[in-house]
Each structure stands twice: as structure tokens, then as C-alpha cells.
């Protein structure tokens, strides 16, 4: 009996073989049509395809009725979202406090909150020369971006909630219009002051050359005429945009120019579309564990490599 056997058991397999044999007998008896070229598909697969097609038709019909996909109640009425007054008050306070912080940093700088000298720190890593994971060694790294001769990578890690107008202007200048966007910038005194002013909204540091190459190869998009976003699938796009004026004809030239902050760095960074990266926290962490942003921001120095690999 078909109901007494599981489809993935031996009995279910034998039942499928017998059914296919019966189909062959029936098809061979009908000489007017030739079904030998048709594949024999299990019934469970056909039912699954039927259900998925029905679900797709249902969603397409719902999109035609309500393109914005607004939530509706059982009676067909649109759902009403209630925002508590405390939410408006907290956002207003956050906007005011960050505006005060922006004015203070513009006037007095970061004071004791940031160093003007390179800071060194140590971390423990697994020794690559041994297979045993218990062998741990300590290595030094630069904990800030002061004095670097290479580019830095800036990632926006917060949305527009509580965003002051002047901070939004600086983010727009850096082309960080959306959350999880990243750009390459040259680290000088002017850029250092800008980053200090918007530090609660961004995380930045000095990436390694391997990470820069990985970013451009995996998430790189270029800007062509008409402000069009095109993928860097081949070197022809780079050669057309930067080859004649800046002598950059391939991805390797672009990586070298960006990492070493060459004479054509501005043109190369403007050619690269802002990188669209992933969220550092999953939906499970956001919704179930209620984890929020705010712990990882500011100057990370050479530690930015780990964060970039996490959101790449």
C-alpha cells in the first residue's frame, strides 16, 4: 500500500520503481504519442512544484492589489502603526546631544578621547607554524590610524535615527548615504577631523592589501558616464574610465593605486561605487536577542580587517 511506506524508505523506492514501470507500459500502448523522452519525476516533487507555483501566483495577485504590500487586518482594513511619544522624545534627545557633540569636536577636537600618536596593542593568535590550536602567540598591531601612509576604509554602521543635520551633511560628502556603505578615503588632518565629528556613525581603520583586493574583486562596482553602476566583471570598464588619463587598466592597478594612495587616488576612489556590505548582526541577533548597534564604532586601526571580513 502506498500509504504504509515512507517515500524515502526502501519500500517507497520499490513502489516508485513499480509505478514507473506501469507508466512505461501505458505509454508504450499508446502508439499515437511518444513519451519516452520525458523524464519520470517523483510525485512529491511534482506536488512541491505545484504548491510553489500556487504561492507565487497568490503573491503576484497580492502585489497587483496592493503594490506597497501594506499590512492589512482580517476585515481588509489597513493596519495602524502606533508610535509611542517616548520614541519621539528619545530621538529628539539623541539628535540634540549629537549636535552638541559635533559642535564641541569642531571647536575643541577630541581632546583626550583620541591620541595624536600611533598606539600599539597586542593580541593573541594561533601560531600558523603549528597544527595544534593550543599554541598561541602574541603579535603587535597598530590600534589607531594615525600616521598611516595607506588608505583607510570607512563603513557606516548606524541609520538615520537621531541623526543631526550637520552630521548628515558630512556623511553625504563621504558618499555614505545608506547604512552598511563603505568607501576608501585618504587619511589626512582634514579627513581626521571629519571622521572625529561623525565617529558614532562610522567605523574605520587601515585595511591590508589582501582585504582591499578582496573588497574590489568581490564587491567592486564602477561608476561610468551618466552615474551608472556597473560591475567590475572585466578590465575593459576600468580601462575605459581610467586608462587614458590615469594609466589604470586592470583590477591589480586599481588595487595598487587605492592601497598606496597614489597620485590618481581621488579619481580611483570616485570611480569605485560605495561598497554595499552586509549587516554585522544577523536577523536572529536583531530580533530574538535584541542586539543593537553602538559597541563597534570609531577608529579600529589594523583591526578593521576582521570587521570587513565579517560583513563582506
Amino acid at each position: 500500500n502506498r500509504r504504509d511506506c515512507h517515500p524515502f524508505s526502501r519500500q517507497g523506492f520499490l513502489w516508485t520503481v513499480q509505478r514507473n514501470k506501469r507508466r512505461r507500459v501505458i505509454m508504450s500502448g499508446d502508439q499515437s504519442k511518444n513519451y519516452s523522452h520525458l523524464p519520470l519525476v517523483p510525485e512529491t516533487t511534482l506536488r512541491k512544484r505545484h504548491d510553489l507555483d500556487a504561492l507565487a501566483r497568490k503573491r503576484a495577485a497580492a502585489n497587483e492589489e496592493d503594490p506597497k504590500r501594506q499590512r492589512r487586518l482580517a476585515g481588509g482594513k489597513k493596519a495602524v502603526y502606533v508610535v509611542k511619544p517616548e520614541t519621539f522624545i528619545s530621538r529628539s534627545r539623541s539628535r540634540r546631544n549629537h549636535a552638541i557633540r559635533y559642535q564641541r569636536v569642531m571647536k575643541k577636537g577630541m581632546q583626550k578621547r583620541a591620541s595624536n600618536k600611533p598606539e600599539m596593542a597586542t593580541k593573541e593568535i594561533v601560531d600558523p607554524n603549528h597544527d595544534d590550536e593550543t599554541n598561541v602567540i602574541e603579535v603587535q598591531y597598530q590600534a589607531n590610524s594615525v600616521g598611516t601612509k595607506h588608505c583607510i576604509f570607512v563603513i557606516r554602521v548606524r541609520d538615520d535615527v537621531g541623526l543631526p543635520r550637520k552630521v548628515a551633511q558630512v556623511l553625504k560628502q563621504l558618499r555614505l548615504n545608506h547604512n552598511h556603505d563603505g568607501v576608501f578615503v585618504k587619511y589626512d588632518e582634514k579627513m581626521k577631523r571629519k571622521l572625529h565629528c561623525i565617529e558614532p556613525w562610522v567605523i574605520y581603520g587601515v585595511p591590508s592589501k589582501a582585504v582591499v583586493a578582496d573588497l574590489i574583486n568581490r564587491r567592486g562596482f564602477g561608476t561610468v558616464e551618466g552615474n551608472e553602476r556597473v560591475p567590475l566583471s572585466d578590465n575593459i570598464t576600468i580601462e575605459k574610465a581610467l586608462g587614458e588619463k590615469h594609466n589604470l587598466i586592470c583590477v591589480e592597478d586599481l588595487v595598487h593605486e587605492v592601497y598606496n594612495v597614489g597620485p590618481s587616488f581621488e579619481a580611483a576612489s570616485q570611480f569605485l561605487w560605495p561598497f554595499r556590505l552586509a549587516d554585522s548582526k544577523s536577523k536572529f541577533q536583531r530580533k530574538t536577542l535584541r542586539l543593537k548597534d553602538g559597541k563597534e564604532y570609531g577608529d579600529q586601526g589594523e583591526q578593521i580587517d576582521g570587521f570587513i571580513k565579517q560583513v563582506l
Side-chain angles (χ1 to χ4, degrees):
N1 190 0
R2 175 68 179 88
R3 297 180 180 178
D4 298 337
C5 57
H6 194 272
F8 298 106
S9 63
R10 179 173 177 81
Q11 294 180 354
F13 174 74
L14 295 175
W15 184 90
T16 306
V17 172
Q18 294 175 1
R19 182 196 61 186
N20 293 340
K21 288 182 179 179
R22 289 195 298 270
R23 285 183 180 179
R24 292 193 188 98
V25 173
I26 295 173
M27 291 179 183
S28 62
D30 189 359
Q31 300 298 332
S32 60
K33 296 181 181 180
N34 185 13
Y35 297 100
S36 60
H37 65 282
L38 296 177
L40 298 175
V41 184
E43 185 179 356
T44 54
T45 304
L46 295 175
R47 287 183 178 180
K48 184 177 181 180
R49 290 178 184 175
H50 178 270
D51 295 341
L52 291 176
D53 293 341
L55 182 61
R57 289 193 297 269
K58 184 178 179 181
R59 289 179 177 176
N63 287 334
E64 291 181 0
E65 295 178 359
D66 191 2
K68 295 184 179 180
R69 301 292 300 274
Q70 296 180 354
R71 183 184 174 190
R72 294 182 179 274
L73 300 178
K77 298 181 180 180
K78 294 182 179 179
V80 179
Y81 293 91
V82 179
V83 182
K84 296 181 180 180
E86 292 83 354
T87 304
F88 293 100
I89 295 174
S90 63
R91 292 177 181 177
S92 177
R93 286 177 178 173
S94 176
R95 193 179 300 110
R96 182 193 62 188
N97 294 336
H98 283 292
I100 294 173
R101 179 193 178 278
Y102 179 88
Q103 294 292 341
R104 184 185 71 247
V105 174
M106 284 293 294
K107 184 177 180 180
K108 299 182 180 180
M110 291 290 287
Q111 297 176 345
K112 295 182 179 180
R113 296 177 181 84
S115 175
N116 294 325
K117 299 179 181 180
E119 293 184 353
M120 303 302 295
T122 58
K123 62 179 179 179
E124 294 183 351
I125 62 172
V126 179
D127 191 357
N129 298 325
H130 295 82
D131 297 334
D132 190 5
E133 296 182 357
T134 58
N135 292 328
V136 179
I137 58 174
E138 290 187 356
V139 294
Q140 283 192 343
Y141 68 95
Q142 187 172 339
N144 59 3
S145 304
V146 177
T148 181
K149 297 180 181 179
H150 304 291
C151 69
I152 64 172
F153 192 68
V154 186
I155 307 173
R156 181 173 174 178
V157 292
R158 288 182 61 177
D159 52 13
D160 295 337
V161 176
L163 180 67
R165 179 177 57 86
K166 293 184 178 180
V167 175
Q169 291 176 355
V170 178
L171 290 173
K172 188 175 182 180
Q173 291 176 5
L174 296 177
R175 301 185 299 161
L176 298 174
N177 298 320
H178 306 285
N179 199 8
H180 312 307
D181 281 1
V183 292
F184 290 106
V185 296
K186 182 181 179 180
Y187 194 74
D188 52 12
E189 287 299 325
K190 185 177 180 180
M191 182 58 62
K192 177 182 176 181
R193 197 173 188 86
K194 282 184 179 181
L195 293 175
H196 283 172
C197 291
I198 63 173
E199 192 163 280
W201 266 266
V202 295
I203 182 173
Y204 59 95
V206 185
S208 62
K209 190 173 183 178
V211 172
V212 173
D214 207 13
L215 271 169
I216 295 177
N217 288 322
R218 293 176 59 181
R219 297 275 185 161
F221 283 81
T223 307
V224 297
E225 296 180 359
N227 200 21
E228 184 181 356
R229 181 174 180 260
V230 294
L232 300 180
S233 56
D234 52 20
N235 295 327
I236 299 176
T237 306
I238 302 174
E239 187 176 0
K240 287 182 178 180
L242 304 173
E244 185 177 354
K245 294 183 179 179
H246 307 284
N247 198 22
L248 302 176
I249 61 174
C250 61
V251 176
E252 288 75 13
D253 293 344
L254 189 62
V255 171
H256 179 79
E257 191 72 17
V258 169
Y259 177 71
N260 294 306
V261 193
S264 302
F265 174 80
E266 290 295 332
S269 62
Q270 290 296 323
F271 167 74
L272 289 172
W273 194 279
F275 295 85
R276 296 177 180 177
L277 304 173
D279 192 355
S280 60
K281 296 179 178 62
S282 63
K283 289 185 178 180
F284 173 77
Q285 293 174 327
R286 294 281 187 192
K287 295 182 178 181
T288 308
L289 301 182
R290 303 289 183 178
L291 294 181
K292 298 181 180 180
D293 292 324
K295 293 184 179 180
E296 293 180 334
Y297 68 91
D299 192 358
Q300 302 293 318
E302 296 178 355
Q303 283 286 88
I304 194 67
D305 281 355
F307 186 84
I308 293 176
K309 292 177 182 179
Q310 185 181 356
V311 299
L312 191 60

